[in-house]
């Protein structure tokens, strides 16, 4: 009996100590974690966790500290970003070396170097700081002294320290951007990796603007206090506040300042309560437009070589390869873009014009790298000068000045009223070397040889040849007729037919919502096209006629036949059981409404360009495509903008599929209240002028331009 009772009494006696050890954040010497452990080392409040954070590659882990109460488990510190830990790795707290990382092969490295003294225990604090102390509670090491990409409240950054961005949202390797304290200057810089050379700052925090120079001293300190205020504490006692939290609500919110992988420094907050917003809220960000702030004499700029930087509505840069360039490494955006062709050296204008042509693009600028300047020049002479120059990749004409640029191009960005860029590309049907014989002469020589052979053969052989040729022509003719018949089916067209499972996987379970409209919800997805991953917009049609199978196929067939630069292109569809979905090209600039009613405003030149683009798209739908299409719902939310702010009309051709009782006005009207034409209210026949009326209302309210000018522009097709 005693043998049974005594162990249980002992267990009851020590149980409170185990409970304290699990809730006060203390980690004893000898404690360890493995990649298979579900429970990390938690702080007393449970807000922060230390352990192995699983990456997208399920077999790799990050030794890190993260917000454990936030749904996405936001990582705020990490130790092995360049070399993620494989499955089977281990962390152990030792007395002599502190935190020791062991690989599955038994190789050991110290995470907490240097340690001077003997570690008594570790503590995961509620500030997010993991510390190691001796038996006298004296600090031996702390994670706050090993900076990664994030500052937490109560953390300070002294001279010589820096934050380093990660390589991408999910890749924690060292990135290209730094927030550094050098010689008293606190600035954002790019770094030429894999080396450590820092380029000149593209933004100074010590002056509060992007064009000045640093004015701090080496004793200035960057302080992120417990109230969520980010400020510079000068050696003379003055405090320069960069971003404020809310002192009254400081304990109701988590705060962090992160140097994002794209070079933007951002102050975030997140409510601690389980209800309310489930995402981080942006309180402050610098620079406001990193695309225009960063100009480097050396280095590739924000986006990498031969890329274009543009700012989105969230003030974050988005990078694209201009035509005719493609990503050098799809797994690493910042390695830049390379041309899709090999440029030969052709000095003769006639030969060069047979081989090369230009993409004419406005608003694109590469402010550095001019190697030649010509004036006074017009468009034709500027293009010709680049065409016959073996080094010229791009010519930019601004006014009467023609500037030639060679590869690689750096610091590319969108700039209003910058000029016109002529990007040289090789014609796809001109792959032959101009030094080779003329193709026409080859054809003539071949014809002579064929006729000679034909006339030199016997009559019987000629009869056999003629018979075979006639049968061949007959088979080809019948095949063409069959192909034309099949082409009337949606499935046989260029549109891809997806299963619902494919689109469910492509959108990660319809995770990221892009917008909502009369026909359903639009989600962002990624599909494979031509061997590469392509972003798409997937529209779930949840308000269409359920029994209109034939009508759905007909309308999708019509939409798939439309091709115009001012229409959103349909790439595929889903017709799987009760599921009806459409797959469109993805336009990352979003809708026109986001610019009209948001913080970022369009210039008048851009507004005019967009108005004319929509007018062109409507004329095509009304008069130029094979089947006339009346949109019925022209509004800013249905006008999308491409990378160069060209207008693209979406949701055309779907009005016939919308259930009348599900239209936004809850009447027989198809369209959005405030934009519909009077005909809808009077039971009059609906014509293309219903779209013209909606277009007029849309731009009268949003663009504040003359009604009659817009009406005449569309009615007379003057563009």
């Amino acid at each position: 009996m005693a043998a049974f009772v005594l162990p249980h009494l002992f267990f009851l006696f020590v149980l409170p100590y185990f409970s304290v050890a699990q809730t006060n954040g203390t980690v004893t010497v000898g404690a360890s974690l493995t990649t298979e452990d579900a429970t990390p080392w938690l702080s007393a409040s449970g807000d922060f966790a230390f352990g192995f954070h699983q990456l997208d590659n399920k077999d790799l882990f990050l030794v890190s500290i993260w917000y454990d109460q936030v749904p996405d488990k936001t990582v705020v510190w990490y130790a092995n970003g360049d070399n993620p830990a494989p499955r089977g790795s281990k962390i152990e707290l030792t007395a002599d070396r502190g935190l020791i990382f062991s690989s599955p092969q038994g190789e050991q490295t110290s995470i907490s170097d240097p340690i001077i003294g003997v570690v008594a225990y570790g503590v995961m604090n509620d500030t997010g700081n993991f510390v190691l102390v001796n038996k006298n509670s004296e600090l031996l090491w702390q994670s706050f002294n090993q900076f990664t990409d994030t500052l937490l409240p109560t953390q300070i950054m002294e001279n010589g320290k820096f934050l380093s961005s990660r390589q991408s949202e999910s890749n924690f390797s060292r990135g290209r951007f730094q927030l550094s304290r050098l010689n008293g200057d606190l600035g954002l810089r790019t770094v030429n990796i894999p080396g450590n050379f820092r380029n000149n700052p593209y933004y100074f925090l010590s002056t509060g603007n992007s064009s000045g120079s640093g004015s701090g001293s080496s004793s200035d300190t960057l302080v992120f206090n417990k109230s969520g205020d980010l400020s510079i504490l000068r050696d003379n006692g003055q405090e320069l506040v960069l971003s404020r939290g809310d002192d009254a609500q400081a304990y109701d919110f988590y705060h962090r300042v992160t140097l994002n992988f794209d070079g933007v420094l951002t102050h975030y907050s997140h409510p601690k309560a389980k209800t309310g917003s489930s995402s981080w809220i942006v309180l402050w960000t610098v620079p406001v437009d990193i695309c225009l702030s960063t100009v480097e004499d050396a280095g590739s700029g924000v986006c990498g070589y031969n890329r274009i930087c543009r700012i989105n509505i969230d003030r974050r840069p988005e990078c694209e390869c201009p035509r005719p360039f493609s990503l050098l490494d799809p797994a690493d955006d910042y390695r830049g873009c390379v041309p899709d062709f090999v440029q030969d050296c052709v000095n003769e204008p006639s030969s060069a014009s047979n081989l090369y042509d230009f993409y004419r693009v406005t608003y694109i600028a590469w402010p550095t790298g001019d190697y030649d300047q010509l004036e006074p020049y017009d468009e034709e002479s500027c293009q010709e000068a680049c065409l016959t120059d073996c080094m010229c990749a791009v010519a930019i004409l601004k006014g009467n000045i023609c500037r030639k640029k060679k590869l690689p191009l750096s610091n590319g960005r969108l700039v209003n009223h910058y000029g016109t860029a002529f990007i040289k590309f090789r014609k796809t049907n001109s792959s032959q070397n101009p030094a080779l014989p003329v193709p026409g002469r080859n054809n003539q020589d071949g014809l002579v040889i064929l006729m000679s052979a034909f006339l030199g053969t016997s009559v019987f052989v000629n009869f056999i040849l003629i018979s075979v040729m006639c049968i061949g022509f007959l088979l080809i003719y019948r095949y063409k007729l069959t192909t034309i018949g099949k082409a009337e089916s949606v499935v046989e067209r260029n549109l891809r037919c997806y299963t619902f499972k494919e689109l469910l996987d492509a959108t990660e379970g319809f995770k990221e919502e892009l917008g909502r409209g009369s026909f359903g919800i639009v989600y962002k997805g990624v599909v494979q096209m031509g061997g590469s991953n392509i972003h798409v917009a997937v529209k779930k049609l949840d308000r269409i006629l359920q029994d209109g199978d034939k009508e759905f196929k007909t309308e999708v067939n019509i939409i798939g036949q439309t091709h115009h630069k001012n229409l959103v292109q349909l790439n595929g569809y889903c017709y799987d059981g009760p599921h009806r979905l459409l797959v469109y090209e993805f336009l990352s600039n979003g809708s026109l409404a986001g610019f009209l009613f948001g913080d970022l405003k369009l210039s008048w030149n851009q507004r005019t360009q967009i108005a004319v683009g929509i007018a062109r798209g409507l004329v095509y739908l009304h008069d130029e495509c094979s089947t006339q299409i009346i949109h019925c719902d022209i509004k800013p939310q249905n006008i999308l903008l491409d990378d160069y702010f060209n207008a693209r009309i979406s949701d055309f051709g779907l009005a016939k599929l919308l259930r009348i009782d599900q239209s936004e006005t809850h009447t027989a009207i198809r369209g959005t209240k405030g934009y519909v034409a009077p005909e809808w209210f009077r039971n009059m026949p609906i014509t293309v002028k219903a779209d013209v009326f909606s277009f007029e209302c849309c731009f009268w309210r949003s663009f504040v331009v003359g009604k009659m000018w817009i009406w005449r522009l569309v009615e007379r097709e003057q563009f």
Side-chain angles (χ1 to χ4, degrees), residues 14 43 99 107 136 147 159 187 228 233 259 274 278 386 419 458 520 542 554 611 628 632 664 671:
V14 299
S43 65
L99 290 168
E107 299 175 352
N136 298 321
F147 295 90
N159 190 52
L233 186 62
L259 179 58
K274 299 297 183 182
S278 61
C386 184
S458 65
D542 57 359
T554 301
Q628 186 183 71
C632 298
E664 292 194 10

Side-chain angles (χ1 to χ4, degrees), residues 121-364:
Y121 57 91
V123 179
M124 182 67 256
N125 286 317
D126 283 331
T127 59
N129 187 21
F130 191 90
V131 301
L132 302 179
V133 298
N134 61 19
K135 62 181 181 180
N136 298 321
S137 298
E138 295 171 340
L139 184 65
L140 300 179
W141 177 88
Q142 60 178 338
S143 60
F144 270 11
N145 280 347
Q146 289 189 354
F147 295 90
T148 53
D149 64 353
T150 297
L151 288 174
L152 293 174
T154 73
Q155 192 169 7
I156 64 174
M157 192 169 78
E158 298 174 338
N159 190 52
K161 302 294 185 179
F162 58 85
L163 297 184
S164 181
S165 69
R166 64 186 73 166
Q167 194 172 105
S168 70
E169 194 68 48
S170 57
N171 186 340
F172 290 81
S173 300
R174 184 168 65 99
R176 301 172 54 250
F177 300 93
Q178 278 190 6
L179 170 65
S180 57
R181 296 293 316 280
L182 294 175
N183 302 320
D185 292 337
L186 179 60
L188 294 168
R189 295 171 166 83
T190 57
V191 180
N192 298 342
I193 56 175
N196 293 313
F197 180 80
R198 300 179 179 91
N199 297 301
N200 291 329
Y202 58 87
Y203 193 89
F204 278 102
L205 272 79
S206 54
T207 61
N209 62 69
S210 60
S211 59
S213 60
S215 59
S217 69
S218 59
S219 58
D220 289 350
T221 304
L222 182 66
V223 178
F224 193 20
N225 67 28
K226 64 180 180 180
S227 298
D229 295 340
L230 182 69
S231 58
I232 296 174
L233 186 62
R234 301 192 185 280
D235 58 356
N236 59 7
Q238 293 181 343
E239 183 182 23
L240 174 63
V241 178
L242 302 175
S243 175
R244 286 198 180 278
D246 190 336
D247 187 62
Q249 299 181 359
Y251 296 100
D252 296 328
F253 285 81
Y254 300 120
H255 286 269
R256 65 181 172 97
V257 171
T258 298
L259 179 58
N260 293 297
F261 69 92
D262 51 23
V264 177
L265 185 69
T266 307
H267 181 183
Y268 296 96
S269 71
H270 193 293
K272 293 183 179 181
K274 299 297 183 182
T275 57
S277 174
S278 61
S279 60
W280 289 92
I281 304 165
V282 175
L283 300 180
W284 169 83
T285 182
V286 292
V288 174
D289 189 338
I290 192 173
C291 297
L292 298 182
S293 299
T294 310
V295 177
E296 301 171 348
D297 295 331
S300 60
V302 174
C303 288
Y305 290 114
N306 304 327
R307 301 193 80 193
I308 302 299
C309 178
R310 60 183 179 82
I311 206 74
N312 65 19
I313 197 167
D314 296 322
R315 297 182 179 177
R316 300 288 292 277
E318 295 188 359
C319 305
E320 300 289 344
C321 296
R323 292 185 301 175
F325 291 80
S326 300
L327 281 175
L328 175 63
D329 181 3
D332 184 0
D333 282 358
Y334 293 109
R335 291 191 64 187
C337 307
V338 292
D340 294 333
F341 63 93
V342 177
Q343 181 168 325
D344 295 324
C345 193
V346 182
N347 293 318
E348 287 294 329
S350 58
S351 300
S353 61
N354 289 331
L355 278 177
Y356 298 104
D357 205 345
F358 292 94
Y359 288 117
R360 184 181 187 277
V361 185
T362 56
Y363 305 125
I364 287 185

Side-chain angles (χ1 to χ4, degrees), residues 25-56:
T26 301
V27 180
T28 59
V29 170
S32 64
L33 289 171
T34 68
T35 55
E36 274 65 44
D37 287 333
T39 304
W41 294 334
L42 296 174
S43 65
S45 65
D47 288 344
F48 290 95
F50 179 100
F52 286 105
H53 181 83
Q54 193 170 39
L55 300 178
D56 290 344

